[in-house]
Amino acid sequence: MHFKAELDDSGHVKIFWKGQEVTPAGGLATGFTPRAGRIVLGARTGGSWEATHIDNIKLTTAPFTSAFISGFRPNAGGFTVEISDVGTTVLDTASLALQLNGTAITPTTVTKVGSTNFVRYAAPAPFAVGSTNTVHISFKDNFGVATTADRTFNPASYTTIPADYAATGVSTAGSGFEVRLNQMDHGRTPGDANTIANAERHLAARYIDPTTGQPYANLVPAGPDNGAYPVTVINWNQYPASAGAAADIGNFRADGVGTQAVADDPIPGIEPGPNNGDPSFPPYNDNIVAEATAYLDLPAGFYTFGVNSDDGFKVSAGHSPKNVLGLTLGSFNGGRGSSDTLFDVYVPTAGVYPIRLLWWEGGGGANCEFFVINQVTGEKVLVNDRNATFVVKSYPTTSSRVPYVSRAIPENNQLFVFADQDVVAEITDGSAATVNASSVSLTVNGTPVTAAATKSGNVTTIKRTGSVTDLLKPADNTASVVFSYTDGASTVNVTNNWSFSVVPYAVIPAANKVAAANVNKTDFTTFKAIVNQIDRSLDGNQGNGARLPNVGDQNRMPR
């Protein structure tokens, strides 16, 4: 036998070649466990070394005769062990025992679905990020066959939603999200069209049509709910099967299984169909940005949310669902095809929390799904899918109860800002509370802005006016806007920070200034050129007359 590979119950792979183990002692740790599956053989050769045959293969499999560990899913909030039954051999739940870092623990829940037992342990407080934790698992089946195994994990990072973000007075009679969209017949700039900063700029209607001096027209008709579109779940596709496509895309599809058997919806306000790339001939599905806002009903605990998107997205939380500078929970800052991004969230205090989903499309395909992972079964479930057993409910809102930052200029994380640009924060009043006028302040790079805030209608604006005599510094800049409002008997103080990058520039010293009397303003040739050409070999052949030293790049200074 020349080649042999083994996968043991602990998820370690051992590889042997001609009887010698080539993996480290004990094998390589993987996230795989023995289970039903298939073996795929592949190779690539070419040219004179090509071989197009394979023979003498022997596959030896050992059927399980006892319940076995078929999965282990940890995160900072706990872990789930999956134990699968085999035929008439089932888990004896009374024999199940867990140890965490050498200490006995009790499973939070043991749930059986089909032939799989889901053993969930929810930690009383999140594990330290990056810490090493070992779980010892032992159990017997109904025939008394014992199994023991160890699993080690290092929790990834997560984001905590502050308890004071929880909203009061939210109507729970509704269901879903409110969606506001903008589409223009012009690509987003500067740089990558699919950055978060450019999507925020697009949503704020800050792309100006040079022919009119006004923002590019929004091609999306106003929605029926105060200009917004009400939706139950976010499962959008520019060309769903219901509109004639061969199939839906993403995790949730008309032909899906279980909680993922949910047909794609068209993008609100956008005519579905194959994209022709020309705004004059619908369907046109490029250059779209959408903001979906809602209040999520979140019991205290640990959550894994996910967004499948084409192109990018950002999910944030704040005191208001409309805050453009809210706490980022998860994001993908760029363009891509339909793909998942998962992000962990810890909610220490139960409440109804404002959530904002920003999604955008540059060109090509377009889809967006907003879902949550069932920590017990691992299933993906659309947020607010009221047909699912496990559901995170959302309640829509067309307005914010409390004040929020509705516009920040430059946008957060914008990379191409000019040094003399204004820095602006706009704060819009809520339906139940207004900004305390004297509380508004703006700080840029640690320096307070002395200009007072002004108010027009329900929008308070504070601005650092750009000037060539007071330039923003090159590269990274930071800004912070602070305000307060009164909600019931409480005063709520809000601080929102953001950053942006100024393009590099040089300052010409005043000492370099040439007196006007020394300038001939009647000579319009503008430039004087001094040209020098060498022929180092003196034979008229420029090919061998290069600059010294005659090695490397001849076009670099100081040569």
Side-chain angles (χ1 to χ4, degrees):
M1 178 184 297
H2 293 296
F3 175 82
K4 177 183 176 183
E6 293 179 356
L7 175 64
D8 65 24
D9 181 61
S10 68
H12 286 74
V13 171
K14 299 178 183 179
I15 299 175
F16 299 85
W17 176 249
K18 294 185 177 180
Q20 297 295 317
E21 184 176 0
V22 296
T23 47
L28 297 172
T30 73
F32 302 106
T33 53
R35 66 182 69 191
R38 61 178 181 169
I39 296 175
V40 178
L41 299 175
R44 180 184 182 276
T45 60
S48 59
W49 302 104
E50 181 175 5
T52 56
H53 65 274
I54 186 169
D55 58 10
N56 297 326
I57 294 178
K58 179 182 179 182
L59 302 178
T60 302
T61 61
F64 277 97
T65 57
S66 177
F68 66 98
I69 298 173
S70 54
F72 181 70
R73 290 179 285 105
N75 55 37
F79 57 85
T80 298
V81 181
E82 297 180 10
I83 302 175
S84 293
D85 298 334
V86 179
T88 60
T89 305
V90 298
L91 170 67
D92 176 6
T93 56
S95 70
L96 178 64
L98 299 178
Q99 290 183 9
L100 175 62
N101 298 326
T103 301
I105 57 174
T106 302
T108 306
T109 59
V110 179
T111 306
K112 186 170 183 177
V113 179
S115 61
T116 303
N117 302 272
F118 297 96
V119 182
R120 177 67 184 171
Y121 174 73
F127 294 105
V129 173
S131 62
T132 299
N133 301 275
T134 300
V135 179
H136 180 74
I137 309 156
S138 64
F139 60 87
K140 295 180 180 179
D141 63 23
N142 55 329
F143 293 105
V145 177
T147 298
T148 62
D150 291 330
R151 297 290 185 269
T152 299
F153 67 98
N154 305 99
S157 61
Y158 61 91
T159 304
T160 299
I161 299 181
D164 68 350
Y165 282 9
T168 58
V170 176
S171 171
T172 59
S175 175
F177 303 80
E178 292 286 342
V179 182
R180 182 166 63 101
L181 301 99
N182 191 302
Q183 182 186 34
M184 59 183 180
D185 61 358
H186 185 274
R188 290 183 290 267
T189 56
D192 186 346
N194 289 311
T195 63
I196 296 171
N198 283 338
E200 293 280 17
R201 182 179 180 184
H202 183 178
L203 187 69
R206 291 194 58 239
Y207 284 102
I208 305 302
D209 186 340
T211 63
T212 64
Q214 299 297 315
Y216 283 97
N218 185 359
L219 305 181
V220 181
D225 198 351
N226 291 324
Y229 288 84
V231 301
T232 303
V233 296
I234 295 175
N235 183 28
W236 305 332
N237 181 354
Q238 72 176 19
Y239 189 23
S242 60
D248 290 337
I249 60 176
N251 301 297
F252 301 89
R253 312 155 61 103
D255 59 355
V257 177
T259 58
Q260 295 175 214
V262 183
D264 286 353
D265 296 321
I267 301 169
I270 304 293
E271 181 178 341
N275 184 18
N276 61 33
D278 186 343
S280 302
F281 300 96
Y284 174 64
N285 302 318
D286 291 341
N287 303 318
I288 304 168
V289 62
E291 175 194 64
T293 57
Y295 294 93
L296 297 192
D297 197 338
L298 298 174
F302 200 88
Y303 296 83
T304 300
F305 288 98
V307 172
N308 181 287
S309 66
D310 177 353
D311 288 293
F313 79 94
K314 183 182 78 170
V315 175
S316 58
H319 291 95
S320 164
K322 294 182 176 293
N323 183 8
V324 299
L325 296 178
L327 173 67
T328 299
L329 305 180
S331 66
F332 184 83
N333 187 29
R336 64 180 180 182
S338 177
S339 304
D340 280 354
T341 296
L342 304 180
F343 47 98
D344 290 334
V345 175
Y346 177 51
V347 181
T349 305
V352 178
Y353 289 90
I355 295 292
R356 176 179 188 253
L357 167 64
L358 182 73
W359 166 80
W360 59 92
E361 152 68 359
N367 81 288
C368 185
E369 302 170 343
F370 184 28
F371 58 91
V372 62
I373 303 292
N374 185 328
Q375 297 286 338
V376 174
T377 65
E379 293 177 299
K380 298 175 180 178
V381 183
L382 287 169
V383 172
N384 199 52
D385 182 355
R386 302 292 179 99
N387 295 318
T389 302
F390 168 76
V391 58
V392 170
K393 296 180 180 180
S394 67
Y395 311 118
T397 175
T398 56
S399 62
S400 173
R401 291 189 64 260
V402 300
Y404 59 96
V405 179
S406 52
R407 179 178 292 186
I409 302 173
E411 298 79 18
N412 190 24
N413 295 324
Q414 185 59 269
L415 299 177
F416 301 94
V417 178
F418 292 117
D420 61 347
Q421 182 168 328
D422 295 344
V423 179
V424 183
E426 295 182 359
I427 307 163
T428 299
D429 288 336
S431 60
T434 59
V435 173
N436 295 329
S438 62
S439 70
V440 182
S441 65
L442 176 65
T443 301
V444 178
N445 294 324
T447 301
V449 173
T450 57
T454 61
K455 190 165 187 176
S456 176
N458 66 341
V459 178
T460 299
T461 301
I462 188 165
K463 176 170 68 174
R464 177 196 185 274
T465 302
S467 168
V468 293
T469 61
D470 186 18
L471 297 173
L472 296 166
K473 65 178 183 177
D476 295 336
N477 290 252
T478 60
S480 179
V481 60
V482 177
F483 63 93
S484 70
Y485 59 89
T486 303
D487 190 7
S490 302
T491 297
V492 180
N493 297 295
V494 179
T495 300
N496 287 132
N497 304 313
W498 77 104
S499 62
F500 51 89
S501 184
V502 170
V503 294
Y505 60 88
V507 176
I508 300 177
N512 291 6
K513 180 180 178 180
V514 178
N518 296 331
V519 178
N520 181 359
K521 297 183 179 180
T522 63
D523 184 356
F524 297 106
T525 55
T526 307
F527 292 98
K528 301 294 184 181
I530 299 176
V531 180
N532 189 302
Q533 184 182 33
I534 64 171
D535 179 10
R536 184 170 52 81
S537 62
L538 300 178
D539 62 359
N541 179 6
Q542 290 298 314
N544 62 9
R547 303 179 183 94
L548 288 172
N550 192 15
V551 293
D553 188 348
Q554 295 291 308
N555 293 309
R556 298 181 63 184
M557 293 185 68
R559 297 180 184 181

